[in-house]
Amino acid sequence: MTDATRTPSSAAQGVTQLDVHDRPQKNRALRRFMRHRLAILAVIVLAVIAATSILAPVFAPYPYDKIDLAATAQPPSVAHLFGTDRVGRDILTRTLYGGQVSLLVGMGATAIATLIGTVIGALSGYYRGWVDTVLMRITDTVMTFPSIVIMLTLAALLPRSVWNIVLIIGLLSWPGVARLVRAQFMSLRESEFVMAARCLGVPDRRIIVVHIFPNVLAPMIALITFSVGGAILTEAGLSFLGLGVAPPTPSWGNMLEAARNLDILKNLTWTWFPPAAMTVLTVLCVNFVGDGIRDAIDPRLVL
Amino acid sequence: MLKYLVRRILISAPVLLMITIIIFGLTEIAPGDVVDYFRSPDLEMTAEAEAALRTRFGLDQPAAVRYFKWLGNVARGDFGYRFTDGEPVAVVIGRRLNASLLLMGTALAIGVLVGVPLGVFIGQRQYSFWDFSLTGFSFLGISTPSFVTGIVALLVFAINLRWFPAGGMRPVDSEATLGSTIHHLLLPSIVLSLNFIATFMRYTRFSMLEVVRLDYVNTARAKGLSPTAVTWRHIVPNAILPVITVIGLSVPTLVVGAVFTETIFSWPGMGSLYLDAVRGRDVPLLMGMNLVIALFVLGANILTDVAYAVVDPRIRYD
Amino acid sequence: MWNRRLTLTILLALLLTIVPVHAQDAGGGGTLIGAFDVGPGGAPKAIPFMDTAGRTWLSKIWSPLISWNADMSALEPQLATEWSSNEDSTVWTFKLREGVLWHDGETFDADDVVFSLNLALNPDAATNFPGFSSLSRESVASITAVDPYTVEIVLNSPNPRLPFFMIFAWVLPEHALKDLNPADYQTTDWFFTNPIGTGPFMHDEYVADQFWALVPNPNYFRGAPKLDRLINRYFADETSALLALESGEINFTYVSGDVALRLQEEGTYQIYDGPSGVTNYFIFNLRNPVFQDVRVRQAFLYAIDRKAIAETVLKGTATVVPCISAFPSMWPDASELNDYAYDPAKASELLQEAGYDTSASFELMTYYNNQFHLDAMAAQQAFLAAVGINIVPVAQDVPTYNSYFYTGEGWDISYRGVGVNVGNFPFSFYEPGGQPTTDGAPLAGQLFPELQALIDAARIESDADAYLGLLQDICKFQNENALEGYMWTAVRFGAGTSNLQDFYWFPAAGGGPYEDHAELWSVTE
């Protein structure tokens, strides 16, 4: 988390044109991505993290809210591979389940951001004129107004459920997507195949959805990947301030929150290290993947 | 240019107004008010005392009346008083803003002074050892929550090594001096700057790599200019252009402050003040802070555009 | 070469000025820097004299007529030396200490007391003088200065506990404040720029958000303090304060139980402890018919192993309570109490008898967000789930919590804490209309006439022993009927550096005020 300094990532985008019908080029992109060894490794690590989190009920040795007052604050052992917290809950179990929440927040918030951003960007880029002016004013406002401010306000005022956190983060992180989609639309609407479609009297909605949108997908995927990482960090940050997902539902963020207590920080290292390491590792991998995708489709794309 | 500026400023006014309405609306929807905040669980408050407090804060009036009153007062330059401790809002914001600008400004400066040169450095050495290790650091920098870095830094450098004070802005048993301020400032600003360094370094590197491929660079080389001259006269100035936008976009965060770092280092800046304002339902403070933040954001946007035009003569605003 | 050496020397010199030099003024009792406020939680929450917490610090500048004694077991004379009432506790006479000087050298007398108490009752000043403002203005007929050192308060209704209310009423200087409009107290900066009191220390420097420094008052009525300077430093939270303590920047801070136990083991700190006087309990929203059944409420107590939680999760820093009162003096004999020892089978049985619907789920609302209570709630949730009671802990911020709690809407059960002591029993929690906004909510007093009768009797009982007996009867009733889900009361801790001499701290709710003889404190090198 960047302490309110998440730099909007689409500051100066190059515009890519990628025709989805152009098979060889798509394969070339895939080949280029496969060459990015770090990104491949990151995909594998992410797959493992996601699988173990989703299958937490299968892998986890205990229920996540199972307390054991006979085994509180235990360091790692055979019975508890990652040790236990101060009410005797298994840290490994909670880390696995915490992954569910963190990944859900990361992907859920990004999905919302993508949806809003795409609609606004598409309308803005396709119709231009006053629609563009109005929508881009709004986008600029949301983009530059430090979202952490609104987030703190909302998070303090709404009940602390997972879905509220998803909604809050999602509703405030769409401008990047909107700007990217708009830039793509603005250039694609002038392209020959769109002109042709328009001459044939294809309705606007169909042109936007069927003809232009598939071509915007590729650069969007890279940006979306980066924002998953951002959303996970934001959840961790909100949790650190006691505004994230409410315990006892574990999230990496609220497990980390416990480390605000100096005693836990210094002496119960095993309770906060796994979620901290998982947060950093996941976000790192997500960023590597994003980097790999960007390099594969267009290295000049600054995201 | 001037026309452009005037238009930008005119467009900004309704945006400002919208922001104040949204924030005011949020505080209205929010459950509880400052009187609820004051209520202590241990003590009884008579209905009479409660009503008197609400009247005292003007909370007995309809929301619309309160909003327009606030707006009218602000138009006259009166930001009102904090609900929670009665201090003039303008005074609190002034004090906290100074602290935030000092901390965040230092962090941003370190970020630019370290991040951009490093970006230039590795931008010339793509796929070298330095490129990999610094890019790796940069990824780590943007992937690590700043509160984790902050806590660890505090534990190591303030508690174990005792090189730096464990928070605060000045010593309390002696006068604040330049030395003592730097001493208190260093650790939190370095923690904060890690992120700036990582971001600016990445952008500069990308930008360098892009510019290196351009035709005029080849032309310059072909002219027989020395590699150093090509780098510093032709590549770097152009590569830095997009980085300026990124730096400009970071400026608004200076005003908001660093919520986590301020909390961990007990730095009395805007970030922790904002949290206090929300928790105490301190409406005048909340409104005042948002107005100031919004002003800074819009101002920074305009300035970024202007800076861009100054650096790049190709850009014209009409 | 020479040049480089010079640069190096300058650099070194610069470094030296940056590295902190812990120099303390020689002579005198030294400088004591502490994180005294609100446990600790940053700068004053409100205008100091209206604050509901932080009174340990405020009592260094101002004095009340009466305070608690050192361990809150009795009252201690401060500006009043003696007090007495007529037979039915409607006329109270306070004898004042003579020869007390304000920090600016003026003489303190009865007019200051009349001025201060009237101010506390003035609706324009809108003070929330805790406790004192809960004396409704109608209940006070007059406050008069009989002579320069005698104040008489006439009440419209009997109040045998009036002296306890005086604890919270700081006495302010009439000569300095008489021209200040009562409505301006909320925004005046007098309390931070030029405060005048009768306490052991005088204002020196206040730096907003950072610290408040005081110097000794040579005219203090218990003798001039030994310290050269007393400083209250503000921290964002407990962790930041603890970090400052461990890095040697401050001498004292409040610490939580687990930290206190660790510091005690390390042995390099002085640990101060005492009962918090705060009881943590579940309050059931009696609007919900489910909780009107005594068997359901009792099942909560049988289902939760309170003793185990207190001993393991809370590491023995908390003791289980039988009723709302935290102090054993307010409990009847143990033989008269049900200890509700952990018995999940019994809990299930009671739930079955009551026809409890185990598919129901209730929100457990709280305002606590520290690790101590989060852990406790996780344990409570797990224990209750084992007998089929599903609760979901929901933490709210204070304004949200209070806006729900006091209207009785939007919550089922609340986990909270209340400070209960002999002088300040929260009778109104049990009485209809006692809570201003609980419009028509069925409160315990309505549901249980027997409890209401005990409360009515206790309110006007002027004999101290008989009053205590009534409090014990209330405790017995609460215990028998599991009126609320009584959990535990915790010990609270403070940690000080080993060079503190004659320092004293007690974890009084809201900071007391209590007698801590600050004039004797000193710090050795």
Side-chain angles (χ1 to χ4, degrees), chain B residues 282-301:
Chain B
D282 202 334
V283 182
L285 180 61
L286 212 52
M287 297 294 287
M289 285 188 80
N290 277 293
L291 191 63
V292 170
I293 292 169
L295 274 172
F296 259 82
V297 169
L298 296 170
N301 282 358

Side-chain angles (χ1 to χ4, degrees), chain C residues 285 287 362-365 394 396 400-401 403-414:
Chain C
N285 192 340
R287 287 181 169 193
F362 296 106
E363 279 192 357
L364 179 65
M365 183 176 75
V394 179
Q396 305 281 18
T400 306
Y401 176 90
S403 74
Y404 290 151
F405 180 77
Y406 287 99
T407 49
E409 300 282 359
W411 60 281
D412 304 307
I413 314 167
S414 171

Side-chain angles (χ1 to χ4, degrees), chain A residues 281-303:
Chain A
L281 185 66
T282 308
V283 178
L284 199 58
C285 286
V286 166
N287 285 341
F288 278 144
V289 173
D291 204 42
I293 297 176
R294 199 223 22 245
D295 279 358
I297 47 174
D298 180 2
R300 284 176 306 134
L301 199 60
V302 180
L303 291 170

